[in-house]
Amino acid sequence: MEALPNVLAQRYASDAMNAIWSPEGRIVAERELWIAVLKAQRDLGVAVPKGAIEKFEAVKDQVNLASIAERERITRHDVKARIEEFCDLAGAEGVHQGMTSRDLTENVEQLLVLRALELTREKGAAALAALSRRAEQYKDLAITARTHNVAAQATTYGRRLAMFGEELLLGWEALDRFIDNYPARGLKGAVGTQLDPLNLLGGDVGKVAELEKRFATHLGFEKVLDAPGQVYPRSIDFGCISALYQLASGPASFARTLRLMAGHELASEGFLPGQVGSSAMPHKMNSRSCERVDGFHLIIRGHLTMAAGLAGDQWNEGDVSCSVVRRVALPDSFLAIDGLFETLLTVFGQMEANPAVIAQENAHYLPFLLTTTVLMAAVKAGAGRETAHEVIKEHAVATARDIRSGNTKDNDLFTRLANDDRLPLDQAALDKILENGAKATGMAAAQTDAFVGRVEQVLKRFPDAKDYQPGAIL
Amino acid sequence: MEALPNVLAQRYASDAMNAIWSPEGRIVAERELWIAVLKAQRDLGVAVPKGAIEKFEAVKDQVNLASIAERERITRHDVKARIEEFCDLAGAEGVHQGMTSRDLTENVEQLLVLRALELTREKGAAALAALSRRAEQYKDLAITARTHNVAAQATTYGRRLAMFGEELLLGWEALDRFIDNYPARGLKGAVGTQLDPLNLLGGDVGKVAELEKRFATHLGFEKVLDAPGQVYPRSIDFGCISALYQLASGPASFARTLRLMAGHELASEGFLPGQVGSSAMPHKMNSRSCERVDGFHLIIRGHLTMAAGLAGDQWNEGDVSCSVVRRVALPDSFLAIDGLFETLLTVFGQMEANPAVIAQENAHYLPFLLTTTVLMAAVKAGAGRETAHEVIKEHAVATARDIRSGNTKDNDLFTRLANDDRLPLDQAALDKILENGAKATGMAAAQTDAFVGRVEQVLKRFPDAKDYQPGAIL
Amino acid sequence: MEALPNVLAQRYASDAMNAIWSPEGRIVAERELWIAVLKAQRDLGVAVPKGAIEKFEAVKDQVNLASIAERERITRHDVKARIEEFCDLAGAEGVHQGMTSRDLTENVEQLLVLRALELTREKGAAALAALSRRAEQYKDLAITARTHNVAAQATTYGRRLAMFGEELLLGWEALDRFIDNYPARGLKGAVGTQLDPLNLLGGDVGKVAELEKRFATHLGFEKVLDAPGQVYPRSIDFGCISALYQLASGPASFARTLRLMAGHELASEGFLPGQVGSSAMPHKMNSRSCERVDGFHLIIRGHLTMAAGLAGDQWNEGDVSCSVVRRVALPDSFLAIDGLFETLLTVFGQMEANPAVIAQENAHYLPFLLTTTVLMAAVKAGAGRETAHEVIKEHAVATARDIRSGNTKDNDLFTRLANDDRLPLDQAALDKILENGAKATGMAAAQTDAFVGRVEQVLKRFPDAKDYQPGAIL
Amino acid sequence: MEALPNVLAQRYASDAMNAIWSPEGRIVAERELWIAVLKAQRDLGVAVPKGAIEKFEAVKDQVNLASIAERERITRHDVKARIEEFCDLAGAEGVHQGMTSRDLTENVEQLLVLRALELTREKGAAALAALSRRAEQYKDLAITARTHNVAAQATTYGRRLAMFGEELLLGWEALDRFIDNYPARGLKGAVGTQLDPLNLLGGDVGKVAELEKRFATHLGFEKVLDAPGQVYPRSIDFGCISALYQLASGPASFARTLRLMAGHELASEGFLPGQVGSSAMPHKMNSRSCERVDGFHLIIRGHLTMAAGLAGDQWNEGDVSCSVVRRVALPDSFLAIDGLFETLLTVFGQMEANPAVIAQENAHYLPFLLTTTVLMAAVKAGAGRETAHEVIKEHAVATARDIRSGNTKDNDLFTRLANDDRLPLDQAALDKILENGAKATGMAAAQTDAFVGRVEQVLKRFPDAKDYQPGAIL
């Protein structure tokens, strides 16, 4: 029987994210950590056999899972098995000195988290770049904005995209800050008091601090906790998955809205050349990718629940109720956000707008959206305010009813108004209002520009992001 | 690079649960469904080639995933590829007639869910059997009951186990009812109106109903939905995972309490012969399995969040935002509950109580727990109620303070009371109270019996459950 | 400063639900419980002063919160204050004998929960009745079913409502089963061993059991737990709120779909006579109530999280970490579901369909939905299958593109097909297909009838439900 | 019937937090916002009647809810009623010009959120100050650290407190960053395009930007969104409640651990002078406040679920499914965190340690904790490593078994070792190890100092925090 695969890894996440969380990736990260500790120990005067570090470095990428498993069957101790394998490969000794299992496992996990965070930040920047291009492209395409899912006022499609873009950007910035403040547990020993490193370094408090600093720097951590227990506080994991969830929220809202727009045929997530919807119904253009984006968002919400249940539940210096939970929630939340971005970037690459249908919708609703403008014009032209308001309301409601009841197909509100003597506005005046109204998108363009400008700042830090191409999706 | 495994499947779940959700298991279930439909169609007069059903049945377990993948690369349609493979293997035709993709996938998924539910029910019965044996074993072992984690009154260890057992039983009964009422979506076509089966069966409404009934019976469903859309209501998935979560709650509370008891050395989850805690600290008996049980409980909570997000979010006749979510939440919640029961059954098999430590704790707290009894005896012996109350309170508080401050090591409250002239009770009278008090476990035994009796009823329906042995755990 | 009100109680829930959870309601329930215990004790031979029960019954509804608060300020013990108030009002003594605080508070809370469950079941039945009427009304109104939010096949509006109705019914039945199996904690004493009642009843185990049975029957509980601790298992609260959430899911999906339909002007949640949308935009018919239904669903999900966090977290015989959580989650989840039903019933009462717009949509999509029918007809008329498929696909895609690009306004696919010589079907033949296609709603009517029939069964048990009128909503 | 109160507000939250979310508080905030807009408009050339601003400012705190309700009954429009009331009170006009309802309600809500965030930050700083004092106090009190709830190594109580303190500090810093980056929606009009302000300011884009900047500055916002829709992105609310949850996690872990310690009588949450546990059991010192802290943590988790369900669910420019949800989740999550801090600060003020019991525990476990030290000493003294390891393990396991079986009461491992000839260590040598071992708390003191030092930095910014006294709690 074939082993059950991790479905998020197998079907949705990129190779890069898979590599971080793969069994091999974990082994290599562990070895890098051992080497980092060894270097720091050597620099601080601990005896390290000459050439050992170089030997370890030379073989750190040679991962043979079967061999490790074989050793574990004999030693019945997983960490011991991996130490032996590494030492034998290198023909050297000395790793894991002055360390407990948790010094290894907690920090390795954090190293993987940190790398996954950085990869996610890069993907997020790529998504910002792609969305920013689309916002720019559609900056002046007027559409009917909706509140309560009902036509409300004019906006532009680019501006709508900038709206979701800004939410994505907020999430991205929060993630960026989270990364900046992400602290390693450090080499704290069995219960956190650093007893072993202190003994190893002859009781020299300053050296212990320096050891940790160097260890962290080697691995890319800017901060290290001062006083964790056996484990680092699990609210840090919660903060991490919470940041992922927030990051996914802008995309989820965008995807939901595109699914709505597709229902009106205003836009679609696009199709590859040659693709024609379902074979039975060639016209059908399903928003499958957008639905999937919303699905990933919900999956991460589930992982957030797991992390939320660990936070605030530390007993004394720590337990391992969290162990099985973190084995699921940490990799899987990153695999999910990665799948989300791969899918989202595909949508950004292929999405299409249907300007003709958009124009029909605008024409259909515009007279309703301009009733307050008509009122002002009527008053200006000499009508009594109350009378004008009553007349307009009367016709607006009647027109809406006639459309819904099928008596009228097109929105002829302005014709009705022009034909009503109580209102001092003729067809020409009303046509003028309609013409101007179609362009009444306020600061939509400037707001879009503001978003585009902010993304440019992001891309200065992550210049490769704008060229990132997602892998092929299912 | 090795593919990321599903960690719950690989490390924790039993082979039986893995088999249900494995790629092969899914293929076989799909074929069984096709055969069930074919049989029902034949019975209702649809032309089915002679011998076809037998041919399909003969090969249904021959699963070659590579061959199917190869076909999919050519047809670019997953269901089509699997039909072709099955037909070629059997040398027959006719499956999937009058069916849409969702008729296949929704019902197959439900078939897997149903089997997983039934396996879980069996495991739950096994857990009840094992816990019931332990409750019986410790029925008369008096322990100090705690509320607010502080000594409160006497109970027995068996009765405490019966308490968690009854919670498990409540969850099990709820699961049992859920299974009884679990409805299949049925063969409803693209949007649920059964247009295709109706056409296939010549517009005969009665035959369509009969087709569905037979199809369901063949597969083991007792109920079929009347009017689902493209998909069955996702609140059914929610109900399912909610039932799993409830089922896991009794075990989670038991595990948490055993972790607490282990901290007091009153009991432990036990060890295999030869096992001696950690190598560095041979005395250390960590409640790793109990911690893991609590971990699984939390994991299912995460899956519950996923299912809760799907429920109530159906757009029209259905969408597939749920697709990626259900690929994760459905198998994984069952793999988690299965891992939980494997672990729990191991604990039930190995758990140990330390009667000597328990007796020490009882002795330590008993005088405190009996102050109200002393009060009644003093009043009976002629003391004024208010005076007696004041005297007892004075000594109780003083004794508690002296113990906490180290002035007293043993709880000498009764000696102090015997020595106080204001109280008309001598040492002998107080010793008598103490002796009786140690046995004041009320209806503990009868309550334990009641639990054991209810489990016996369950085991009449599931007689194999009491012999189930969990697999070896990590 | 005015005290912050419970917003769910104040703005949304009915008077009946408010009454259950009001401070007065709780006091009265407590007194009813005391009286029930007293009666049972009397029946079993415990000395109860003559006439006391009648005196207590006579004053049980006289609630003076200020007086109780005043007493509490003196006694500094809430239960004691409430006992004194009750006894003074009645001029009698004897309540709370052989009971601990938890015997009172746990059971009273369960009594409130039970009543709230029953009220909710009644409201759910009312919602089923109202939805069933709507399903009947629109049983034959053909609409365009959508999957992926895109037109897929024909169905009827009544059948769509029956689909959500069946989900509601599933939730209702689950709630009904939950009520049937809802067990009281019973009079179990401080840690659950029934020590006090056993002493009170002279050590007679049979009498203790009988006491509990009578107590439960007086209050309307059919089941009592055998072996709870200080508290009943909190997974029962989880099961309760889970049932509420499931019950809310059908309505939530219905509401979401009506919001979608309103966006297409196919239907609306309706308006009171004279109501005309927003004052600035009189045409605007916002689905505010449906949005609110979805909001309530989410609120209950939050309460479910709270209850999920309590389940499986029992320490020993119980703690009160749950106390503050249950003070929020229990009343508020019921207030939310009650607000949901009040809102939903208002929508069911006022909702409107726009058949003319529906017909336009059907006409717009129907040709696409019938392409497989055209294919079969063409083959029957002598065309080669592959050729016919290619021709139809070519025109379908071109038509869809032309509509989206504005080249065509109406769906002229069938005209294009009639004009293509490669297809042996003329305009008349195609018109015939179109005419039949509009009615191709399969078993929609029969499915609707099935739902209506099942609701009738429910209403036999709850005959008043069909006349229930919701209160005025904001 | 008395209205149901908001239980979090009534029982647990401080007056200051209640004031923010009270009906009056909301009215005043609204008026402050109107005044801020008016000032900004005036500065940018919009005609504002002379003296109007002063008149409005003079009456802004005069809130008469009954009068407003009376007006609403007539106008049937809540915002209109509040405008009229304010204008009549002031004898002035001009507020709400160029604004839509959402310009008011979204920003007012954010203003309340911002104030509640700031109050929470202050409370968090007070908690850090109090916890830091306790960490300092117990810096050198050696205790037995536990992992898996089992004795593991020595630490100090102060260091354990610093561990939870650091988690609190991490949460506090995250909250602080959240506040720094919290953006107002701003005056964006009906769908976000700022059409109305743009018209009001004569189409001057620069002035519109300036208006918003001034408005924000007046109210204390440092950032304003560029392109929100009708509503600000709901993932901001999610970020907010997520920050509260993270902030609550350190306290929740601390509380859970203190509940564990109280179960061992090592420490308690303390009692007021004169308080003596329950009246029936005077010795009983329940950790009720700590349990409550854990309860608040869970309540916020429920609100997090609500907020998580709103994030990523925006349809187009926005809906109000969120309305009822936010009415519950926003105030209540702040009321809960406020109740948490009031309770926590009370615990910090009253908590007690029992050094004598702690010393007993240390003595009981210390020999076990020092087995690796004994091994090293034995090897140094000439023993073979393997032999020594075997001897030590043999005695350690036997001692543990004897203690659990009652054969031994005290931990006599070192006596056994001294008496074993295979080990070249006499009683004196072993006593020396024991003596040093009791002090082997590694860097515990330095780590505590590090925490205290970081808190001092926080208190430089919030100097009043260290003197904050919580209100009386129930």
Side-chain angles (χ1 to χ4, degrees), chain A residues 355-415:
Chain A
V357 183
I358 288 171
Q360 281 167 30
E361 185 186 52
N362 291 346
H364 183 72
Y365 287 114
L366 197 55
F368 289 146
L369 310 186
L370 293 172
T371 49
T372 50
T373 313
V374 172
L375 176 63
M376 285 188 289
V379 172
K380 220 175 193 173
R385 186 179 192 87
E386 290 309 307
T387 311
H389 186 271
E390 196 47 50
V391 171
I392 292 166
K393 184 174 140 183
E394 184 186 312
H395 286 302
V397 172
T399 306
R401 290 217 170 117
D402 282 347
I403 290 172
R404 281 167 203 150
S405 64
N407 292 336
T408 314
K409 199 166 174 196
D410 295 317
N411 189 333
D412 60 353
L413 170 60
F414 273 34
T415 308

Side-chain angles (χ1 to χ4, degrees), chain D residues 232-299:
Chain D
Y232 64 83
R234 294 318 186 205
S235 56
I236 295 179
D237 287 340
F238 170 76
C240 175
I241 300 184
S242 172
L244 298 184
Y245 186 72
Q246 199 177 335
L247 182 65
S249 294
S253 284
F254 158 79
R256 215 165 305 262
T257 293
L258 196 51
R259 290 163 58 196
L260 291 169
M261 293 179 78
H264 292 270
E265 298 186 65
L266 301 164
S268 79
E269 63 181 41
F271 290 88
L272 290 173
Q275 200 182 342
V276 287
S278 79
S279 63
M281 305 187 194
H283 74 287
K284 209 161 185 297
M285 302 182 79
N286 297 332
S287 308
R288 292 179 66 243
S289 296
C290 284
E291 291 171 343
R292 190 178 290 166
V293 166
D294 286 329
F296 285 127
H297 182 247
L298 177 51
I299 287 175

